[in-house]
């Protein structure tokens, strides 16, 4: 079953990427999941040089909706949005881009008896994340990252 979801996400990505490229937008993530009895396709997009507008989301939605609808035989809700201030970090290029940012990392296996870390992303190179946690530098293999996202500091508001 998991393979079907992964194949569907790849097919959705193949539909979405050319549209985003034409609009000067980047793909952050795609989710295809069931929540509370309803199916959702969520596509998270961003602009590297600014904020994603509601018009950007609407245009992407209108452009890809029919093709995605042909792909999925069950009723679903299509949602296009920005990833938000605590955006996920999925790809290697995300970790490079957000070097110097505060991040939260969840691991597949424990390092120093812990699976969850929050700290400053110092750098990413040779498939390794370098994270400063309480002034201690950790080296985390990229393949061990289960989930990662930016951490927004709300006290700066």
């Amino acid at each position: 079953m998991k393979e079907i979801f992964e194949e569907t996400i790849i097919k959705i990505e193949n539909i979405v990427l050319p549209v985003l490229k034409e609009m000067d937008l980047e793909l952050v993530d795609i989710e295809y999941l069931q929540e509370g009895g309803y199916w959702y396709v969520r596509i998270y997009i961003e602009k590297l040089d600014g904020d994603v507008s509601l018009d950007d989301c609407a245009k992407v939605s209108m452009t890809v909706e029919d093709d995605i609808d042909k792909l999925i035989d069950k009723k679903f809700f299509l949602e296009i949005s920005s990833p938000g201030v605590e955006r996920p970090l999925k790809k290697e290029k995300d970790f490079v881009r957000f070097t110097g940012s505060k991040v939260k990392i969840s691991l597949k296996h424990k390092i120093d008896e812990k699976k969850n870390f929050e700290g400053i992303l110092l750098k990413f190179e040779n498939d390794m994340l370098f994270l400063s946690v309480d002034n201690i530098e950790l080296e985390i293999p990229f393949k061990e990252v289960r989930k990662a996202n930016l951490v927004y500091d709300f006290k700066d508001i």
Side-chain angles (χ1 to χ4, degrees):
M1 190 70 161
K2 183 179 177 183
E3 293 83 23
I4 294 170
F5 286 112
E6 290 172 358
E7 286 175 23
T8 302
I9 288 172
I10 290 168
K11 290 176 182 176
I12 294 168
E13 187 174 317
N14 290 334
I15 291 168
V16 170
L17 282 176
V19 172
L20 296 180
K21 185 175 182 176
E22 187 176 302
M23 294 177 61
D24 244 5
L25 297 168
E26 293 279 323
L27 177 65
V28 174
D29 196 14
I30 297 174
E31 296 177 342
Y32 175 44
L33 53 101
Q34 186 177 21
E35 288 181 350
Y38 296 100
W39 286 92
Y40 293 89
V41 172
R42 293 188 179 122
I43 301 170
Y44 299 96
I45 60 174
E46 69 181 352
K47 279 186 184 173
L48 295 181
D49 61 351
D51 294 330
V52 172
S53 70
L54 190 54
D55 287 341
D56 293 328
C57 294
K59 186 175 179 184
V60 171
S61 180
M62 288 185 293
T63 306
V64 303
E65 185 174 28
D66 289 342
D67 290 331
I68 295 173
D69 200 36
K70 292 174 190 169
L71 205 76
I72 300 172
D73 61 354
K74 55 181 74 92
K75 185 177 176 168
F76 65 93
F77 294 98
L78 176 63
E79 298 177 355
I80 313 288
S81 71
S82 109
V85 294
E86 293 197 337
R87 82 183 292 289
L89 304 174
K90 296 279 193 168
K91 303 168 187 144
E92 293 179 18
K93 70 179 186 173
D94 295 338
F95 291 94
V96 171
R97 177 176 168 208
F98 289 103
T99 294
S101 299
K102 190 172 187 179
V103 297
K104 183 188 281 186
I105 308 283
S106 295
L107 303 177
K108 295 174 185 172
H109 302 97
K110 290 181 180 180
I111 293 178
D112 295 337
E113 299 302 313
K114 290 174 62 180
K115 279 188 163 185
N116 298 304
F117 296 93
E118 189 171 305
I120 303 298
L121 180 60
L122 299 173
K123 64 182 173 178
F124 180 88
E125 61 184 32
N126 301 321
D127 291 324
M128 295 289 285
L129 291 118
F130 295 83
L131 190 67
S132 175
V133 178
D134 299 326
N135 295 319
I136 297 169
E137 186 175 315
L138 298 174
E139 293 183 26
I140 301 171
F142 181 63
K143 66 181 182 185
E144 284 298 316
V145 175
R146 184 178 60 78
K147 183 178 177 186
N149 60 279
L150 294 177
V151 175
Y152 184 75
D153 197 347
F154 288 96
K155 67 182 176 199
D156 290 342
I157 297 178

